[in-house]
Amino acid sequence: MSEILVAAVNASFSHTNIAVRSISFYCQKKLNVQDDFINFDEWTINQQPLEILRGILTHKPKIIMFSTYIWNIQMIEILVRNLRAFDSNLIIGLGGPEVSFNPQQIFSKLSEADFICQGEGEETVFEVAQCFQNHLNHQKKLTNDESKAESTCKYDFLKSLQKIKGLYLNFSELQNISNPVFFTGARELICDLQNLVFPYPKITESDSKIYYYESSRGCPFSCAYCMSSLDRRVRFMPLDRVFKDLQFFLDNNVKLVKFVDRTYNLDDERYIAIWDYILNHHNGKTMFHFEIEAEYLSQNALDFLQKVPSGVMQFEIGVQSSNPKTLESVSRSPEIKKLAQNVKQIPKTIHCHLDLIAGLPYEDLQSFGKSFDFVMSLHPDEMQLGFLKVLYGTKMKEIASQNDYRWMKTAPYEILSTPELSFGDVCFLKDLEVVLDAFYNSKNFEKCMFYIEEKYGFWNFFCEITEISQKQNLFSTAKSPKFWYEFLADYSNQKNDKILYELLRFDFVKTGKKGGFPDWYIHHYDKNKHRLALEQNGGVSNSRIDFAYSEYEEFEINPLLPIKNNIDKTASQELGFIFQKTKILFFYENKFNDKKSQQIIIE
């Protein structure tokens, strides 16, 4: 049970909500109270509303506050309406980016909510909780009866909140109120982040969740589509506190820590110091995720990254577009060449995830195709094709409203069309995203992808695959990797592309035993040659296991050569490959020995 419950509805079970934790522990510390007065709990959007309602009501809260985002607001609307139907005296608050900048619209469609907390929540919720604590004490004195004190008049309490900054109060149910929404005024930002409480006091060994962490707040940039541009005053957590917090994650062998700093690499000396601490104290298990503006990486930072081994760091880098006019229109850095130079210097030991946004100003399909090929030329470990969201409070909302943009009027507010992209174009890019994930981001077709870049060009290839798939109505249901292997085999046959087919066979075998070979696959196998290859490369210690975790195959080319080295530049045909029969023994990593996945040329 908790008098005040701060509730999160996450996107999935693996996620943690840093906001509800930070607010709850901050309030407990400042009020010197236990979790039976204010606490948090979490659910996911994948749960049934009744299941979440049951969990909430188990706490028996008098005040409940929800952390809202574009991906959970619809579920929260359902919960708020049903909570109000259950208990008319329950005080319901909302906070988070989804409600901070459009309170009038929120209250008009969700009149059951009593107040909205704007911006940073720690100090505002603390004052709300303090006010409620005083209110309860006052009621107890008046009634001298604790049971009666619990049934306080919520409107008296809401009126008492008018002195607290950072709140929108909903008085719509009161009569004779000319303006039912009352704003208490903006609150100053928290300047000293040292005052924040570490949001993860304990972690269980079996906990495989993603832990979000902030070492700074605010962003100095003004990207038109991003809500972080509304908070441009950057504040940093003291380094000694950051090191202490990181050591806690390392000591507890957390699998993934994601820094939520909107732009991590702002202060060269500071962010390299954090990396250096991680590298010097790493436990061999924890991965740290950072959002990076690659064009601002210093040479010192790039030099430091050369010594980072695999499994320590991963980067998310927003490119968004390579069109200079587009970048200027949304106040993004135009330093595309510098970005490319820096990304190329990031070692392959660091997983890099690069982003594009479809639907930005001045970007039609042709321009977007150039941006697409630009990003793919950097060979990211993953390329995310995102779609512009027209969010309340952003400059993009103003741009879209003044121009011929169409977008969803409910979360997630994604574009439907722009002056440059028709609705059909947007749908085409949505389908292209599916094939991008299937062929590139899946890592199932790595050799094929390098060849396709050289032979066909990424944008041309993915456009052609998308068109074929649309004609065959393939996007109506999800498709397995098995399907896409067969699809690409058929494509290679239609193109009479023997090289692509051979590389596809290699990619198929490389990913592991499949329990049999599909019809499209031509298997050049000889058990005696397989046994001989095993004997020549470590011996056959256990015949059943060694055969089960290895494969023998023959190819018309040498797929282990780099693609460019595999091409005969003197050949008359375009990208003529050197056809050279190659026999390869595949070893698959397994628990029975220390062999790692590898491929060995037999002859």
Side-chain angles (χ1 to χ4, degrees):
M1 292 177 57
S2 299
E3 301 273 5
I4 302 173
L5 182 66
V6 189
V9 184
N10 299 326
S12 73
F13 176 77
S14 64
H15 292 186
T16 55
N17 186 301
I18 188 174
V20 298
R21 286 170 163 79
S22 182
I23 289 170
S24 298
F25 295 134
Y26 182 87
C27 292
Q28 287 177 19
K29 181 179 179 181
K30 289 200 70 172
L31 288 168
N32 193 26
V33 296
Q34 301 300 313
D35 56 15
D36 59 350
F37 181 74
I38 181 168
N39 202 2
F40 73 92
D41 207 342
E42 295 176 284
W43 294 269
T44 79
I45 57 174
N46 301 311
Q47 293 176 268
Q48 291 298 314
L50 185 59
E51 182 182 358
I52 301 176
L53 286 169
R54 179 179 178 179
I56 290 171
L57 293 173
T58 299
H59 287 273
K60 298 183 179 180
K62 298 183 181 70
I63 299 178
I64 181 165
M65 288 176 272
F66 289 98
S67 175
T68 67
Y69 305 87
I70 57 175
W71 36 264
N72 72 5
I73 186 62
Q74 293 181 356
M75 172 65 84
I76 287 173
E77 288 176 3
I78 294 172
L79 297 173
V80 168
R81 292 189 180 103
N82 283 283
L83 284 168
R84 174 61 68 233
F86 177 80
D87 185 355
S88 61
N89 289 317
L90 181 63
I91 299 164
I92 301 175
L94 305 173
E98 179 55 19
V99 298
S100 285
F101 304 99
N102 57 336
Q104 296 282 356
Q105 293 92 328
I106 293 296
F107 284 140
S108 65
K109 68 178 179 179
L110 199 61
S111 60
E112 295 85 353
D114 295 309
F115 67 88
I116 288 173
C117 176
Q118 183 196 55
E120 291 181 333
E122 285 88 356
E123 191 64 23
T124 303
V125 175
F126 157 68
E127 291 186 12
V128 170
Q130 187 180 48
C131 189
F132 187 66
Q133 191 180 50
N134 294 337
H135 190 77
L136 289 178
N137 291 336
H138 179 67
Q139 290 295 313
K140 289 177 185 178
K141 289 180 180 179
L142 288 178
T143 63
N144 216 15
D145 185 339
E146 187 170 342
S147 63
K148 290 182 180 179
E150 291 180 356
S151 58
T152 59
C153 175
K154 74 172 184 178
Y155 295 112
D156 290 341
F157 171 68
L158 288 176
K159 288 177 182 178
S160 71
L161 298 182
Q162 294 182 64
K163 62 184 179 181
I164 297 174
K165 296 292 185 182
L167 291 176
Y168 289 95
L169 303 173
N170 179 19
F171 295 126
S172 61
E173 293 185 26
L174 291 181
Q175 295 181 355
N176 302 319
I177 297 291
S178 58
N179 184 8
V181 178
F182 179 80
F183 182 47
T184 63
R187 173 177 291 280
E188 286 294 316
L189 298 173
I190 296 174
C191 295
D192 187 359
L193 299 191
Q194 175 73 45
N195 293 328
L196 299 179
V197 180
F198 184 62
Y200 308 104
K202 61 180 180 179
I203 296 174
T204 62
E205 290 185 4
S206 60
D207 200 338
S208 59
K209 291 180 179 290
I210 299 169
Y211 286 86
Y212 295 90
Y213 179 74
E214 57 182 354
S215 71
S216 67
R217 285 185 176 180
C219 181
F221 304 112
S222 54
C223 303
Y225 49 81
C226 182
M227 299 196 79
S228 297
S229 64
L230 305 176
D231 177 9
R232 299 186 63 185
R233 183 178 173 185
V234 181
R235 294 145 290 151
F236 295 106
M237 185 78 76
L239 275 179
D240 57 347
R241 164 67 186 274
V242 174
F243 296 156
K244 178 182 177 182
D245 294 346
L246 296 183
Q247 192 60 51
F248 181 84
F249 291 128
L250 292 166
D251 290 343
N252 284 275
N253 296 320
V254 169
K255 290 185 178 180
L256 178 59
V257 176
K258 297 187 78 168
F259 276 64
V260 295
D261 302 44
R262 300 314 300 162
T263 300
Y264 171 76
N265 56 309
L266 291 177
D267 182 328
D268 188 70
E269 183 176 349
R270 183 178 187 278
Y271 73 80
I272 294 177
I274 294 174
W275 283 346
D276 188 59
Y277 185 90
I278 290 171
L279 194 58
N280 289 328
H281 296 81
H282 200 257
N283 56 14
K285 298 178 181 179
T286 304
M287 175 72 77
F288 292 89
H289 176 104
F290 303 93
E291 292 189 24
I292 299 293
E293 288 286 342
E295 60 268 43
Y296 299 117
L297 284 172
S298 69
Q299 192 56 53
N300 286 340
L302 292 168
D303 291 342
F304 176 88
L305 294 176
Q306 305 311 309
K307 59 184 179 182
V308 176
S310 296
V312 177
M313 298 179 191
Q314 61 185 31
F315 290 168
E316 182 175 349
I317 300 171
V319 181
Q320 320 312 11
S321 175
S322 65
N323 184 330
K325 189 175 181 180
T326 296
L327 294 171
E328 181 183 6
S329 71
V330 294
S331 303
R332 286 284 296 180
S333 166
E335 299 291 335
I336 288 298
K337 289 184 179 179
K338 180 65 174 175
L339 181 147
Q341 291 171 0
N342 286 354
V343 169
K344 289 176 182 178
Q345 291 187 67
I346 298 173
K348 286 301 179 182
T349 54
I350 298 174
H351 177 97
C352 282
H353 172 142
L354 271 57
D355 297 343
L356 274 183
I357 296 178
L360 294 175
Y362 307 112
E363 190 130 82
D364 56 15
L365 277 182
Q366 182 179 8
S367 171
F368 187 80
K370 292 179 180 178
S371 295
F372 186 94
D373 275 339
F374 170 79
V375 170
M376 295 293 275
S377 72
L378 302 177
H379 302 131
D381 294 293
E382 183 176 345
M383 203 275 256
Q384 178 173 307
L385 197 171
F387 291 81
L388 177 66
K389 295 173 178 62
V390 183
L391 303 175
Y392 285 99
T394 64
K395 182 183 175 183
M396 194 65 228
K397 177 72 161 52
E398 180 182 346
I399 294 172
S401 299
Q402 294 175 354
N403 295 280
D404 191 22
Y405 281 76
R406 300 288 184 270
W407 67 93
M408 298 171 64
K409 298 306 179 183
T410 56
Y413 313 109
E414 274 191 1
I415 54 147
L416 301 173
S417 67
T418 76
E420 291 77 28
L421 290 176
S422 68
F423 178 66
D425 292 336
V426 173
C427 292
F428 180 82
L429 291 175
K430 282 284 185 180
D431 291 341
L432 189 143
E433 180 189 17
V434 174
V435 296
L436 173 68
D437 287 341
F439 287 110
Y440 187 86
N441 291 334
S442 70
K443 301 302 178 188
N444 290 329
F445 303 88
E446 287 187 298
K447 281 289 181 179
C448 290
M449 289 297 102
F450 281 112
Y451 173 71
I452 282 166
E453 180 182 23
E454 294 287 330
K455 179 70 180 287
Y456 302 103
F458 277 128
W459 177 247
N460 291 335
F461 170 78
F462 283 114
C463 283
E464 184 178 5
I465 294 298
T466 302
E467 290 169 358
I468 293 171
S469 300
Q470 285 181 334
K471 289 176 182 177
Q472 297 179 13
N473 194 31
L474 299 182
F475 298 112
S476 58
T477 58
K479 299 294 186 291
S480 67
K482 179 181 177 182
F483 173 87
W484 292 114
Y485 277 115
E486 185 175 355
F487 180 98
L488 195 56
D490 184 61
Y491 177 86
S492 66
N493 289 333
Q494 291 181 21
K495 293 287 188 181
N496 193 27
D497 193 331
K498 296 179 181 178
I499 304 303
L500 179 58
Y501 178 74
E502 288 297 297
L503 294 174
L504 180 62
R505 291 175 62 236
F506 176 83
D507 280 334
F508 182 82
V509 178
K510 179 185 175 184
T511 55
K513 290 276 193 177
K514 303 295 192 299
F517 288 88
D519 292 340
W520 65 266
Y521 188 98
I522 300 175
H523 191 19
H524 301 293
Y525 182 73
D526 185 308
K527 188 172 184 179
N528 291 329
K529 292 180 180 180
H530 189 176
R531 177 179 290 276
L532 180 61
L534 286 171
E535 291 174 348
Q536 293 174 344
N537 292 275
V540 181
S541 57
N542 184 313
S543 181
R544 182 180 64 82
I545 291 175
D546 286 344
F547 272 95
Y549 289 96
S550 67
E551 187 58 81
Y552 171 86
E553 186 56 278
E554 298 178 1
F555 298 90
E556 295 297 318
I557 62 170
N558 182 354
L560 292 180
L561 280 177
I563 295 298
K564 291 184 178 180
N565 292 350
N566 225 331
I567 298 171
D568 183 359
K569 296 296 185 181
T570 64
S572 58
Q573 66 185 85
E574 181 185 4
L575 295 179
F577 263 63
I578 301 171
F579 280 84
Q580 174 186 351
K581 285 189 179 294
T582 305
K583 301 173 183 178
I584 298 178
L585 177 65
F586 294 80
F587 280 116
Y588 306 122
E589 189 170 354
N590 65 86
K591 63 183 178 180
F592 298 104
N593 55 48
D594 57 0
K595 286 189 174 71
K596 294 187 176 181
S597 295
Q598 59 177 318
Q599 304 87 43
I600 300 173
I601 294 178
I602 303 306
E603 59 179 63

